[in-house]
Amino acid sequence: MKELDQLMRNVHFSKRYQGYRYLRRCIMLAAEDEERLTMLVKGIYWQVAEEYHQPPCVVERNIRTMRDRAWAKGGKEALEQLTGMSYPWPPSVGELIEIFLEQVKDDESDKSK
């Protein structure tokens, strides 16, 4: 999922934050089974939390921290350019997972054409 790493870096998400790894893993789990999006905590956060030996609230908090840091450094504009949408405030963690999942799926469908 090299494309995912590039998309995340384009939105100013930095690998130096633990939230980067958590968000990346969340997106990968959602890509495996999109039904997990309907139950974020049980379907995604718990699994990521177990893999990293952290409580689910830490997983979500670290993703939010990374998002907020990126938002302050131009991530808002980069995300708006990537999606073509306007964001008056930072998207929730669940919304971020959906945004990046759609971008990855679009990239994969473009490659298969």
Side-chain angles (χ1 to χ4, degrees):
M1 284 206 158
K2 208 173 225 180
E3 298 85 13
L4 177 56
D5 284 320
Q6 187 60 48
L7 286 169
M8 290 174 67
R9 281 195 303 276
N10 288 348
V11 184
H12 303 276
F13 288 166
S14 174
K15 286 185 176 184
R16 70 178 176 207
Y17 291 104
Q18 190 67 30
Y20 183 95
R21 289 179 270 303
Y22 296 162
L23 178 59
R24 187 177 193 284
R25 184 64 182 130
C26 288
I27 296 164
M28 291 170 56
L29 288 170
E32 289 172 11
D33 181 6
E34 287 189 41
E35 284 297 312
R36 289 180 171 141
L37 290 170
T38 63
M39 48 185 183
L40 280 174
V41 175
K42 286 185 178 182
I44 295 179
Y45 296 161
W46 271 101
Q47 188 164 343
V48 173
E50 285 181 6
E51 290 174 19
Y52 286 94
H53 310 289
Q54 297 290 335
C57 61
V58 169
V59 170
E60 186 178 20
R61 184 190 68 218
N62 285 339
I63 294 171
R64 282 194 323 263
T65 298
M66 177 196 57
R67 174 208 62 197
D68 293 345
R69 297 281 193 274
W71 201 255
K73 294 181 179 183
K76 176 185 188 297
E77 293 78 14
L79 188 63
E80 289 177 343
Q81 185 177 14
L82 177 69
T83 63
M85 297 174 62
S86 177
Y87 297 93
W89 50 79
S92 68
V93 174
E95 290 169 334
L96 279 176
I97 294 169
E98 288 183 52
I99 290 166
F100 284 110
L101 178 60
E102 289 304 314
Q103 293 298 317
V104 169
K105 285 173 34 181
D106 288 348
D107 286 350
E108 288 174 4
S109 69
D110 288 346
K111 285 182 182 180
S112 65
K113 290 181 181 179

XYZ file of all heavy atoms in Angstrom, residues 43-74:
271
model
N -15.016 -3.049 15.450
C -14.527 -3.633 14.205
C -13.128 -3.226 13.816
O -12.430 -3.975 13.123
N -12.693 -2.054 14.255
C -11.381 -1.557 13.820
C -10.495 -1.169 15.004
O -9.405 -1.701 15.164
C -11.542 -0.381 12.842
C -12.227 -0.868 11.553
C -10.183 0.239 12.511
C -12.473 0.192 10.510
N -10.971 -0.240 15.842
C -10.112 0.266 16.922
C -9.634 -0.839 17.854
O -8.474 -0.849 18.268
C -10.816 1.334 17.752
C -11.173 2.602 17.028
C -12.127 3.451 17.550
C -10.570 2.962 15.826
C -12.488 4.629 16.902
C -10.931 4.129 15.174
C -11.882 4.952 15.719
O -12.231 6.114 15.073
N -10.529 -1.771 18.204
C -10.132 -2.835 19.117
C -9.027 -3.693 18.517
O -8.078 -4.059 19.203
C -11.328 -3.719 19.484
C -12.062 -3.214 20.674
C -13.229 -2.512 20.668
C -11.677 -3.317 22.047
N -13.602 -2.178 21.945
C -12.666 -2.669 22.823
C -10.593 -3.890 22.696
C -12.607 -2.583 24.196
C -10.537 -3.809 24.077
C -11.525 -3.164 24.810
N -9.134 -4.001 17.245
C -8.120 -4.845 16.617
C -6.770 -4.131 16.559
O -5.735 -4.711 16.860
C -8.562 -5.271 15.221
C -7.629 -6.301 14.622
C -8.232 -7.007 13.426
O -9.438 -6.968 13.212
N -7.386 -7.660 12.663
N -6.793 -2.863 16.178
C -5.554 -2.084 16.127
C -4.976 -1.959 17.540
O -3.763 -2.128 17.748
C -5.786 -0.692 15.503
C -4.541 0.171 15.596
C -6.231 -0.838 14.049
N -5.824 -1.707 18.507
C -5.388 -1.572 19.895
C -4.715 -2.853 20.384
O -3.664 -2.801 21.036
C -6.578 -1.223 20.775
N -5.295 -3.990 20.069
C -4.695 -5.262 20.475
C -3.342 -5.478 19.804
O -2.397 -5.931 20.438
C -5.638 -6.416 20.151
C -6.806 -6.509 21.096
C -7.725 -7.666 20.782
O -7.420 -8.496 19.886
O -8.779 -7.753 21.433
N -3.240 -5.145 18.521
C -1.982 -5.329 17.795
C -0.866 -4.470 18.377
O 0.291 -4.866 18.378
C -2.173 -4.998 16.317
C -3.020 -6.010 15.574
C -3.310 -5.600 14.148
O -2.609 -4.731 13.582
O -4.268 -6.161 13.567
N -1.218 -3.279 18.841
C -0.216 -2.351 19.365
C -0.185 -2.312 20.897
O 0.528 -1.487 21.477
C -0.457 -0.939 18.811
C -0.042 -0.814 17.369
C -0.968 -0.991 16.347
C 1.278 -0.537 17.024
C -0.591 -0.886 15.010
C 1.656 -0.421 15.702
C 0.726 -0.604 14.704
O 1.109 -0.508 13.385
N -0.959 -3.190 21.536
C -0.985 -3.289 23.004
C -1.334 -1.949 23.659
O -0.655 -1.490 24.568
C 0.353 -3.830 23.538
C 0.803 -5.072 22.845
N 0.168 -6.286 23.025
C 1.789 -5.298 21.945
C 0.763 -7.204 22.272
N 1.746 -6.633 21.607
N -2.399 -1.350 23.154
C -2.890 -0.069 23.669
C -4.404 -0.157 23.825
O -5.057 -0.945 23.150
C -2.579 1.076 22.682
C -1.131 1.342 22.442
C -0.453 1.953 23.653
O -1.083 2.588 24.487
N 0.848 1.734 23.762
N -4.984 0.671 24.680
C -6.445 0.725 24.717
C -6.987 1.430 23.466
O -6.296 2.280 22.883
C -6.758 1.544 25.966
C -5.473 1.969 26.550
C -4.357 1.459 25.716
N -8.203 1.101 23.042
C -8.771 1.727 21.842
C -8.828 3.256 21.927
O -8.658 3.928 20.906
C -10.181 1.134 21.762
C -10.102 -0.150 22.499
C -9.086 0.056 23.586
N -9.045 3.812 23.114
C -9.114 5.271 23.227
C -7.764 5.918 22.895
O -7.721 7.028 22.365
C -9.581 5.691 24.613
S -8.508 5.174 25.966
N -6.670 5.214 23.151
C -5.334 5.736 22.812
C -5.144 5.730 21.304
O -4.576 6.665 20.733
C -4.231 4.928 23.524
C -2.847 5.270 22.994
C -4.295 5.154 25.028
N -5.638 4.690 20.655
C -5.546 4.607 19.196
C -6.244 5.817 18.575
O -5.655 6.542 17.765
C -6.168 3.288 18.677
C -6.304 3.302 17.159
C -5.338 2.093 19.137
N -7.480 6.056 18.982
C -8.230 7.170 18.406
C -7.590 8.513 18.763
O -7.468 9.397 17.924
C -9.685 7.145 18.870
C -10.513 8.202 18.187
C -11.968 8.177 18.569
O -12.311 7.612 19.631
O -12.768 8.743 17.804
N -7.167 8.683 20.004
C -6.558 9.948 20.433
C -5.288 10.248 19.642
O -5.070 11.378 19.207
C -6.245 9.911 21.926
C -5.693 11.256 22.426
C -5.144 11.176 23.827
N -3.947 10.340 23.811
C -3.619 9.482 24.762
N -4.382 9.290 25.802
N -2.512 8.765 24.666
N -4.443 9.238 19.428
C -3.202 9.473 18.690
C -3.458 9.814 17.224
O -2.730 10.611 16.635
C -2.268 8.272 18.811
C -1.606 8.183 20.161
O -1.507 9.169 20.885
N -1.148 7.005 20.518
N -4.485 9.239 16.642
C -4.851 9.592 15.265
C -5.346 11.039 15.228
O -4.969 11.814 14.341
C -5.900 8.623 14.693
C -5.302 7.215 14.552
C -6.411 9.129 13.341
C -6.323 6.149 14.195
N -6.178 11.417 16.196
C -6.667 12.805 16.255
C -5.523 13.790 16.441
O -5.507 14.856 15.808
C -7.682 12.967 17.400
C -9.055 12.455 17.105
C -10.085 12.947 18.109
N -9.596 13.046 19.474
C -9.763 12.126 20.429
N -10.407 11.016 20.157
N -9.307 12.325 21.650
N -4.562 13.450 17.278
C -3.412 14.331 17.502
C -2.642 14.537 16.205
O -2.301 15.676 15.847
C -2.479 13.749 18.588
O -3.211 13.668 19.814
C -1.239 14.600 18.769
N -2.374 13.459 15.491
C -1.656 13.562 14.218
C -2.462 14.396 13.225
O -1.915 15.258 12.539
C -1.386 12.173 13.647
C -0.712 12.196 12.293
S -0.794 10.639 11.413
C -2.545 10.339 11.322
N -3.764 14.151 13.171
C -4.643 14.907 12.272
C -4.595 16.396 12.590
O -4.461 17.230 11.694
C -6.075 14.394 12.412
C -7.103 15.200 11.621
C -8.476 15.157 12.221
N -8.507 15.725 13.560
C -9.493 15.528 14.421
N -10.518 14.755 14.104
N -9.462 16.083 15.621
N -4.664 16.730 13.864
C -4.662 18.134 14.264
C -3.340 18.812 13.945
O -3.311 19.971 13.518
C -4.985 18.266 15.751
C -6.415 17.849 16.075
O -7.239 17.730 15.138
O -6.696 17.619 17.268
N -2.237 18.116 14.119
C -0.919 18.686 13.790
C -0.811 18.933 12.280
O -0.343 19.970 11.838
C 0.210 17.755 14.229
C 0.308 17.506 15.698
C 0.987 18.660 16.420
N 1.359 18.322 17.782
C 0.556 18.426 18.835
N -0.667 18.852 18.671
N 0.983 18.114 20.041
N -1.258 17.947 11.506
C -1.215 18.087 10.045
C -2.143 19.205 9.585
O -1.795 19.974 8.686
C -1.602 16.765 9.387
N -3.308 19.309 10.207
C -4.303 20.324 9.854
C -3.699 21.715 10.001
O -3.920 22.590 9.161
C -5.515 20.158 10.766
C -6.787 20.750 10.249
C -7.388 21.894 10.668
C -7.628 20.230 9.228
N -8.554 22.109 9.978
C -8.731 21.098 9.087
C -7.558 19.093 8.422
C -9.746 20.878 8.174
C -8.573 18.876 7.512
C -9.653 19.750 7.390
N -2.925 21.896 11.056
C -2.310 23.200 11.328
C -1.146 23.502 10.377
O -0.746 24.657 10.238
C -1.809 23.246 12.769
N -0.631 22.498 9.700
C 0.528 22.686 8.822
C 0.178 22.573 7.342
O 1.011 22.214 6.527
C 1.601 21.653 9.164
C 2.178 21.844 10.540
C 3.243 20.822 10.836
C 3.801 21.071 12.215
N 4.877 20.153 12.537
N -1.063 22.847 6.993
C -1.460 22.824 5.587
C -2.213 21.587 5.167
O -2.550 21.432 3.998
